[in-house]
Amino acid sequence: MDVGGTSVRAGVVDEHGSVLDTARTGTPGTESALEDAIGGVIDELRNRHDRAGGAGGAGEVGAVGLAVAGFVAGDRRTVMFAPHLAWRHAPVADRIAKRVGLPVTLEHDANAAAVGEHRFGAARGAHVAALVAIGTGIGAGLLLDGRLYRGAHGVAPELGHLTVVPDGRACPCGKYGCWERYCSGTALAATAIELLARYPGSSTVLARDIAADPGALTGRRVAGAARDGDPLAQRAVAELAKWLGEGLALVADVFDPEIVVIAGGVSESAPLFLDEAREHYAAAITGGRHRPLARIRTAQLGDDAALVGAAALALEARAVR
């Protein structure tokens, strides 16, 4: 399951990473309602899947993996904090396991996506891999020697909150100049608005949209305008490419990954910016002319990466038990 601030997505996944069945519901605003919603979706899928004898011969559902957009404790039983969910230091895994009668494993959503891409997608077989999920903000997962790196307290790696511009744009985390404030869907819209303020004479379609209702502008709208050849939007996308490359160079200086997988909603527009981001990355990394550079690819599993990774981790945990 992929539990986000807007929706709860679930899938029945086999040991080969194939998604056999899916269901979705909205994300309620209270703990009890959220857990009821999760339990309801699990029951729906189990009833539908198990009644059919296990689609594809995969057998009955045997474990649950929850990919959560928040801080997950090192024991992977507790959600310590989730900015868009109701849980605060909540024993979520035990509550859900009691409700549905199955073993439950928790994981940060970007970590789960990294596992999915490592087992079945773009990072398959890599010893050191980073996943950077670019959407409203930036989520990240890191695998060292093929194993997830969660840090001492389970919350690593918060790469989206690396400071790239001292005293830069304010971030909801309380800091200023975080990477995700310059490289995300939200950042793309903010950059377009800043560019229009800097060049007020612009008369492009996007400029007229901003002037009419700047609060309604989205990164998706900017990306679409860039694809249509709007020069203001193309400049905003070029800024995103620059900051993606600069940020990846910082990540590579610390972790030296073989591969970086770009995931999340913004990755759908990768043809607009990824080649330019690679150039910025190669120019910014320390000693770039004298070392191998990470391959930078887009995710292969798309929106299913966190579902597939959470399922793989749940099966792995069940086997250990």
Side-chain angles (χ1 to χ4, degrees), residues 47 134 225 227 264:
N47 290 337
I134 308 175
R227 276 191 292 271

Side-chain angles (χ1 to χ4, degrees), residues 113-141:
V115 169
E117 290 292 337
H118 185 256
R119 302 277 178 87
F120 306 106
R124 188 179 303 185
H127 292 287
V128 180
L131 178 133
V132 178
I134 308 175
T136 303
I138 288 180

Side-chain angles (χ1 to χ4, degrees), residues 21 30 39-40 43 49 61 67-68 77 113 115 117 133 152 172 176 191 194 211 215 239 253 277 289 302 308 311:
D21 197 0
T30 67
D43 291 342
H49 177 81
V61 173
V68 177
R77 312 300 300 163
V115 169
E117 290 292 337
Y176 291 85
T191 298
E194 285 186 1
E239 282 287 306
D253 280 343
R289 295 182 179 180
V308 171

Side-chain angles (χ1 to χ4, degrees), residues 70-91:
F71 291 166
V72 175
D75 63 2
R76 292 154 67 192
R77 312 300 300 163
T78 300
V79 177
M80 297 186 290
F81 171 72
H84 304 296
L85 301 172
W87 291 315
R88 298 292 183 272
H89 294 280

Side-chain angles (χ1 to χ4, degrees), residues 154-165:
V155 301
E158 282 294 333
L159 299 182
H161 297 287
L162 292 172
T163 299
V164 295
V165 181

